[in-house]
Amino acid sequence: MKKLLLIMCVMVVPVNAWAKDKLLDIQPVTSPGGIKAWLVEDHNVPVIALEFGFKGAGALLEPTDKQGLSRMLSNTMDEGAGDLESQVFQKELQDLSIGLSFGSTRDDFTGSVKTLTRNKARAFELLQLALTKPRFDAEPVERMRAANLSRIRSSMSEPDWIAARILNDLAFTGHPYAQNSGGTLTTLASITPDDLRAFHKNNLGKNNLFVSVAGDITKEELATLLDQVFGALPTVKLPAVPKTTSLQNENTVNVYKKDIPQTIVEMLQPGIDRKDTDYQVAQVMNFILGSSGFGSRLTEEIREKRGLTYGIYSYFMDMEYFDGLEVSTSTENKNAGEIIAMTKAEWEKMKDAPVTADELKDAKTYLTGSLPLSLTSTDAIAGLLLSLQMDDLPLDYLDQREKIINATTEADVQRVAKKILQEDKMTVVLVGTPEGVKDFKAIDKVPNVE
Amino acid sequence: MKRALFIAALLCLSGGGIVWAQMAATPKADTPEAAKETREKIFNAETFTLENGLQIVVIPNHRAPVITHMVWYKVGAADEVTGKSGIAHFLEHLMFKGSNGLAPGEFSKKIRAMGGEDNAFTGHDYTSYHQSVSVDHLEDVMKMEAGRMRGLNPPLDHVDSERLVILEERRQRTDNDPRARFAEQMNALLYVNHPYSKPVIGWASEMASLSWDDCKTFYDKWYAPNNAILIVAGDVTGQQVFDLAKKIYGPLPKGDVPERMRPVSPPLAGVPEVTLEDEVIREPMVQIVYRTPGSRQNKEETLALQALEEIMSGGPTSRIYKNLVVDQKIATGAGLSYQSAALDDSELWIYATPAPGKDIKAVKTALQDQIRDVIKNGVTATELKEAITRMQADAIYARDSLTGPAMVFGYALTTGSSIDDVEYWTYDIAKVTAKQIQDVAKKYLDPDAVLEHAAVTGYLLPKASAPPAAEPAKEAAP
């Protein structure tokens, strides 16, 4: 396997020459004030992408009656900061073509800045303001509330959104993950600017911060910048949350009846932790099973041979306190029972016999060789660096990963398939008018939305 | 609510799928004086044409040792014969079902085995096939793509199963989704007598009866090197690509490719409105779509419309959002979008989601008032200057991508624009004047001269709501 030098600094070849034996030349940077970041320098395009995350500060911290709070925070932190009111702040971002935004997942609170080099000084000042002095004025808070309520009402007509909502509710019953991270019509209405201030102050700290940067900036410059942008953040102590959770309502089929021509199918079973020594082997197994689209067993059997669907994929769900393996597809109502049975049959085949040498070879080549394709923009590189750090993975993870994948055998794949795949533990959700499905539970109402 | 980059650099292409024609606003420019060109290009692409007519565009980008290889055919859903809607897209799917030296499905599997990605998409004016692989596989993908330019031969049982797949695709994208059916219906009314009125994926009843013979006829007529553009972006030089292309694509024979004859849409004699009520709709929406000039028809006007789009809808402080959502608070979202990349008429949409309790017709009027304001008072010099600066910055961001620039050239060259139109777009857009913007608004969008241009108004409503033509509903949302 040829080693790939991902990032080439054309102007400064000697500096980077030593990096030829690594996939990605990641430089760890520590500021004088002690803030750490990972950097990939790349001076090809005059653009800088900075991404950051506050670990554990996501939707799982929300009280039940304030679901949607972290998402509302992500919508309002860039709506005015310091002396700059919402429209003034946004106008400056727009005039300087600075992309600044925040986001939240169930686990974490995140943010990013993308700027042209020529506007970097102001871009990072505006980020610093948004992070440390957000205004939460009544006008933008109301406007973002209205936009979120509108988003929910719009989503309520989308069958795939309905399926995801129901699955989430059933799979994590009793854990904060079951909550609606987008908020409900009721909870969003009750969120106040003070709620936003408290969530911001209590959960976004220097001590749960991770930063990654890619693009047209040097290590020295970044070190100084880290203190300017993040130095004023407090130290926070996050509230305790229920740590692990197991899949709930397993081995059930749940049907939300809807008068549409095609049934949406979601199937979830337990997965594997990213730090498990078998995680990479599991990726190889799942590539062959269903993550790769064309060439995967699910796509070949169900789409290519029988034309039962436009798309079927299986993928791992990596969350802090839950690991899952999910299958998503859709099919004309009359085929719903068949597509579930066929998926489960592929589960059994994967456990019953080893994969072929060709399947294994192709999976290895793809999983190792395709990485550079996803690293062709500064924000994609910064995004990868951030996810590695937030998952507590080492600097040389990408190189380690490649070694493990290349060492995987047919017997490894079968062993891991037997360890992971459990067709009798699936929580299944169907939205549509499915036929051929026995022993299902009817869901009358989309839970936790109104 | 943040601004999107003007060049659709990040397109999410799903398996064997289609991307709707209006996804990218393609830059456009004039013919430069080649003799003493001192202007700076955006992408520094190189171009070359083989003797068999295949045009080649190379966009060197040495950031990573990878390439994107694309072949764009200058044919799409608007070139289908009447009654056979969906052929262009069905054929796109069948292109993966067996060709010279490749068994059904083998194309994509081979690409995966190289550690690469591949896909394809169809629009009204183009059909595009693309692969991203490490640079050492460039020759392999060229051979595979060249092999299916004239040598497609899918087994009939695969044609039959794939027909089921495209029907599933239609159910997933359109039939299951009232918003998609709503947009499809508005398009059908906008383009009277013109094939843009057809959905790219096809009408379900016609899709069900498409045969291999239909596809083969279409394929033989349109798929040829002299009707295609090869675009390679990535860690290569122009010379390298030209040499390989000459060897691999060069031997393919020219086809007898017809002119793309398209009928003309007559002016509308009335004002069409679509009202779609559906019980699953909880959030109403109003949209107006206008027929506007495409990039081939009138370059200056498309540039002026691009600048208008940026001023009206370039971000959260732009006119429409600021007025309707921030100041008046009659909508929770609103904007304007213009897609110039079309061989014939292009489309300009304005849209809003009424705030709870706001009358949808009043919201429509407020949207139209934004147009009226431009027609009456024009745009300010500051607004225009700021818009141009932002659009020029977008061109820099567009370079921060491997596939994005290749897409931009593909859209442009299949819809009548030139390489220079793309490369010097930042200069051309800077020449747009406030007067030109006011003129195109008046000419194409005037709400008070409805029969002088073609527009369709659409209302998407919850089932229980009163139709907008009757008394205004008091509650627009439950």
Side-chain angles (χ1 to χ4, degrees):
Chain A
M1 172 69 201
K2 177 175 176 288
K3 296 282 179 185
L4 301 170
L5 171 63
L6 242 197
I7 296 309
M8 299 196 299
C9 177
V10 173
M11 301 301 149
V12 207
V13 172
V15 179
N16 279 296
W18 57 269
K20 277 192 174 161
D21 57 344
K22 291 188 207 170
L23 279 167
L24 195 57
D25 182 14
I26 306 170
Q27 306 180 67
V29 178
T30 304
S31 73
I35 293 171
K36 293 181 172 153
W38 285 6
L39 166 68
V40 168
E41 265 187 75
D42 178 349
H43 303 279
N44 278 297
V45 182
V47 169
I48 303 165
L50 181 150
E51 307 228 347
F52 54 92
F54 296 95
K55 194 171 167 72
L60 86 171
L61 297 182
E62 295 166 355
T64 305
D65 62 347
K66 301 285 181 187
Q67 291 171 75
L69 177 56
S70 61
R71 177 179 307 227
M72 274 287 284
L73 180 65
S74 73
N75 298 147
T76 49
M77 273 178 70
D78 62 349
E79 287 287 340
D83 294 334
L84 308 175
E85 290 184 4
S86 163
Q87 282 278 299
V88 179
F89 189 87
Q90 283 290 340
K91 179 80 164 54
E92 206 172 344
L93 291 178
Q94 197 175 325
D95 285 348
L96 298 176
S97 293
I98 297 165
L100 187 162
S101 65
F102 297 92
S104 80
T105 66
R106 289 199 193 92
D107 286 319
D108 310 310
F109 192 85
T110 61
S112 68
V113 173
K114 191 170 185 180
T115 181
L116 301 177
T117 309
R118 69 175 190 237
N119 297 327
K120 65 185 171 186
R122 191 57 180 156
F124 295 120
E125 279 171 20
L126 291 170
L127 170 61
Q128 189 265 337
L129 272 182
L131 269 174
T132 56
K133 293 177 187 162
R135 293 174 63 90
F136 304 120
D137 287 333
E139 188 281 327
V141 170
E142 287 312 314
R143 183 155 43 83
M144 290 302 142
R145 188 197 320 280
N148 274 295
L149 293 169
S150 175
R151 171 184 54 76
I152 294 174
R153 288 190 298 261
S154 276
S155 300
M156 288 163 82
S157 67
E158 297 165 12
D160 44 354
W161 183 86
I162 292 171
R165 178 80 282 279
I166 294 171
L167 179 63
N168 204 49
D169 186 77
L170 293 173
F172 306 121
T173 302
H175 189 275
Y177 281 160
Q179 297 194 153
N180 188 341
S181 59
T184 74
L185 297 178
T186 310
T187 62
L188 280 169
S190 79
I191 291 168
T192 66
D194 280 342
D195 293 330
L196 295 167
R197 282 185 195 101
F199 196 98
H200 169 260
K201 182 174 157 226
N202 296 336
N203 303 319
L204 275 48
K206 228 188 272 192
N207 54 319
N208 62 339
L209 170 72
F210 292 88
V211 182
S212 71
V213 181
D216 189 15
I217 186 168
T218 63
K219 192 174 174 177
E220 295 69 30
E221 196 180 359
L222 177 59
T224 314
L225 186 80
L226 289 172
D227 284 337
Q228 281 169 19
V229 173
F230 301 103
L233 286 170
T235 297
V236 295
K237 187 172 185 313
L238 298 183
V241 291
K243 292 297 179 195
T244 52
T245 175
S246 57
L247 184 67
Q248 305 297 303
N249 291 294
E250 59 183 35
N251 199 19
T252 61
V253 177
N254 306 273
V255 175
Y256 180 80
K257 199 159 179 301
K258 206 166 164 12
D259 184 19
I260 47 178
Q262 195 182 52
T263 297
I264 308 293
V265 181
E266 298 286 348
M267 309 167 76
L268 177 64
Q269 64 133 77
I272 181 168
D273 190 86
R274 196 165 176 176
K275 285 190 160 170
D276 191 302
T277 49
D278 282 331
Y279 182 82
Q280 303 305 345
V281 179
Q283 297 297 321
V284 174
M285 186 275 296
N286 189 44
F287 179 88
I288 297 165
L289 178 63
S291 73
S292 60
F294 293 109
S296 77
R297 292 181 175 189
L298 289 177
T299 296
E300 290 303 310
E301 289 299 319
I302 293 171
R303 170 175 161 155
E304 294 296 279
K305 286 194 189 154
R306 293 176 180 79
L308 292 181
T309 186
Y310 174 54
I312 180 162
Y313 293 91
S314 60
Y315 45 92
F316 286 108
M317 187 189 258
D318 292 317
M319 290 152 71
E320 186 69 20
Y321 305 118
F322 177 78
D323 302 296
L325 174 60
E326 185 167 356
V327 178
S328 294
T329 186
S330 59
T331 188
E332 195 177 2
N333 287 321
K334 68 180 167 70
N335 304 323
E338 190 183 353
I339 215 168
I340 295 170
M342 291 193 61
T343 302
K344 291 187 171 182
E346 290 307 318
W347 251 234
E348 288 177 15
K349 273 190 238 167
M350 188 59 90
K351 291 188 283 187
D352 289 348
V355 296
T356 68
D358 279 348
E359 283 177 318
L360 182 62
K361 180 166 84 48
D362 290 352
K364 286 180 181 179
T365 325
Y366 178 83
L367 290 170
T368 56
S370 64
L371 186 71
L373 298 178
S374 57
L375 300 177
T376 51
S377 70
T378 51
D379 42 358
I381 295 169
L384 175 75
L385 298 191
L386 186 67
S387 80
L388 295 178
Q389 291 185 84
M390 292 190 70
D391 281 347
D392 193 25
L393 296 167
L395 207 59
D396 65 347
Y397 173 81
L398 296 175
D399 301 286
Q400 285 183 24
R401 168 187 177 271
E402 186 173 302
K403 278 183 201 139
I404 297 171
I405 288 172
N406 282 330
T408 301
T409 65
E410 288 89 340
D412 290 333
V413 173
Q414 192 175 10
R415 176 179 57 78
V416 170
K418 283 180 176 166
K419 171 173 159 180
I420 297 177
L421 299 179
Q422 305 170 83
E423 64 275 15
D424 57 347
K425 288 212 170 170
M426 289 175 164
T427 307
V428 178
V429 172
L430 307 175
V431 175
T433 313
E435 294 172 26
V437 180
K438 277 174 257 163
D439 301 327
F440 62 87
K441 186 179 145 207
I443 306 286
D444 302 327
K445 197 166 177 290
V446 186
N448 200 22
V449 171
E450 298 280 347
Chain B
M1 197 37 62
K2 314 307 165 196
R3 52 187 281 105
L5 295 185
F6 90 110
I7 291 169
L10 299 165
L11 294 176
C12 186
L13 308 175
S14 52
I18 63 174
V19 167
W20 302 105
Q22 51 268 38
M23 277 196 71
T26 298
K28 173 113 179 62
D30 64 2
T31 317
E33 297 87 331
K36 44 181 178 190
E37 184 56 73
T38 55
R39 297 178 301 173
E40 206 173 309
K41 296 177 177 183
I42 300 177
F43 299 113
N44 284 304
E46 298 174 52
T47 186
F48 184 77
T49 302
L50 296 182
E51 277 176 26
N52 63 9
L54 179 71
Q55 185 183 4
I56 302 167
V57 178
V58 182
I59 312 154
N61 173 348
H62 303 291
R63 166 175 275 179
V66 293
I67 54 109
T68 288
H69 170 270
M70 301 184 122
V71 168
W72 292 67
Y73 292 96
K74 289 184 249 182
V75 66
D79 302 300
E80 296 160 346
V81 295
T82 306
K84 305 272 185 194
S85 63
I87 294 182
H89 171 252
F90 190 24
L91 173 61
E92 175 228 297
H93 277 232
L94 296 181
M95 286 282 280
F96 294 86
K97 291 295 191 173
S99 48
N100 278 352
L102 290 174
E106 202 180 347
F107 195 104
S108 296
K109 284 183 219 164
K110 273 190 177 289
I111 299 292
R112 293 295 179 283
M114 294 172 193
E117 303 277 2
D118 77 320
N119 213 326
F121 56 91
T122 308
H124 278 116
D125 295 319
Y126 43 75
T127 312
S128 172
Y129 301 84
H130 55 96
Q131 305 84 31
S132 295
V133 290
S134 69
V135 64
D136 49 331
H137 287 299
L138 174 59
E139 184 165 358
D140 300 328
V141 298
M142 271 195 183
K143 283 179 181 161
M144 289 164 62
E145 193 63 83
R148 63 178 178 179
M149 186 172 275
R150 305 289 283 176
L152 184 65
N153 52 11
L156 289 183
D157 56 329
H158 283 266
V159 175
D160 289 340
S161 65
E162 200 61 21
R163 193 182 302 104
L164 298 174
V165 170
I166 57 169
L167 285 162
E168 288 289 358
E169 182 178 356
R170 189 186 153 89
R171 281 184 202 107
Q172 183 179 328
R173 290 181 186 275
T174 310
D175 302 334
N176 255 14
D177 180 359
R179 283 164 200 277
R181 296 201 308 271
F182 177 57
E184 182 177 271
Q185 202 53 231
M186 288 183 69
N187 253 325
L189 287 173
L190 182 67
Y191 293 107
V192 178
N193 193 45
H194 189 282
Y196 285 174
S197 62
K198 293 186 293 187
V200 170
I201 197 165
W203 298 112
S205 56
E206 294 181 356
M207 290 164 71
S209 63
L210 294 177
S211 69
W212 164 240
D213 281 349
D214 293 331
C215 293
K216 176 81 165 109
T217 306
F218 190 85
Y219 176 73
D220 287 343
K221 185 171 173 184
W222 297 106
Y223 278 50
N226 47 320
N227 198 41
I229 301 154
L230 168 68
I231 304 176
V232 179
D235 192 16
V236 285
T237 64
Q239 193 61 49
Q240 212 179 326
V241 175
F242 303 150
D243 291 347
L244 270 179
K246 199 172 170 189
K247 184 173 101 183
I248 295 164
Y249 287 97
L252 290 167
K254 252 186 171 164
D256 188 12
V257 181
E259 282 288 305
R260 305 171 87 177
M261 302 295 285
R262 303 272 183 81
V264 173
S265 290
L268 297 186
V271 184
E273 283 193 358
V274 178
T275 302
L276 191 153
E277 290 182 39
D278 193 303
E279 57 194 8
V280 307
I281 292 295
R282 294 281 302 264
E283 191 70 348
M285 186 176 187
V286 57
Q287 299 183 327
I288 306 174
V289 56
Y290 301 86
R291 274 195 335 233
T292 46
S295 37
R296 181 176 67 156
Q297 294 169 343
N298 191 320
K299 179 187 139 184
E300 278 69 31
E301 288 185 346
T302 58
L303 287 163
L305 286 163
Q306 287 171 11
L308 175 70
E309 178 190 30
E310 181 63 31
I311 289 167
M312 301 298 273
S313 200
T317 66
S318 299
R319 283 192 178 205
I320 291 183
Y321 185 85
K322 181 171 184 349
N323 282 303
L324 270 66
V325 182
V326 180
D327 294 345
Q328 297 179 47
K329 304 207 176 298
I330 57 171
T332 57
L336 178 154
S337 90
Y338 171 60
Q339 296 91 20
S340 62
L343 199 59
D344 299 325
D345 294 338
S346 67
E347 293 168 21
L348 184 146
W349 294 73
I350 55 176
Y351 53 88
T353 301
K358 300 296 178 190
D359 170 35
I360 198 165
K361 294 199 94 175
V363 174
K364 184 192 88 166
T365 304
L367 262 179
Q368 291 175 318
D369 284 348
Q370 294 303 308
I371 306 287
R372 288 188 178 98
D373 187 27
V374 174
I375 292 170
K376 186 164 175 240
N377 303 313
V379 299
T380 69
T382 310
E383 274 179 305
L384 178 57
K385 186 165 169 282
E386 289 171 349
I388 288 168
T389 304
R390 293 197 300 267
M391 294 166 87
Q392 291 177 328
D394 288 344
I396 302 175
Y397 281 122
R399 288 163 46 208
D400 187 15
S401 163
L402 175 71
T403 306
M407 297 288 290
V408 171
F409 279 105
Y411 286 124
L413 298 178
T414 52
T415 55
S417 295
S418 70
I419 288 179
D420 284 345
D421 288 340
V422 174
E423 292 282 20
Y424 300 113
W425 178 81
T426 52
Y427 296 89
D428 292 317
I429 198 71
K431 289 186 208 146
V432 172
T433 66
K435 171 81 167 49
Q436 285 174 319
I437 293 173
Q438 193 173 12
D439 287 349
V440 289
K442 169 83 183 150
K443 186 170 170 187
Y444 295 105
L445 312 176
D446 188 352
D448 303 310
V450 285
L451 289 182
E452 287 171 26
H453 52 77
V456 177
T457 303
Y459 301 94
L460 182 69
L461 298 170
K463 190 103 182 177
S465 222
E471 286 295 301
K474 287 213 172 64
E475 285 291 323

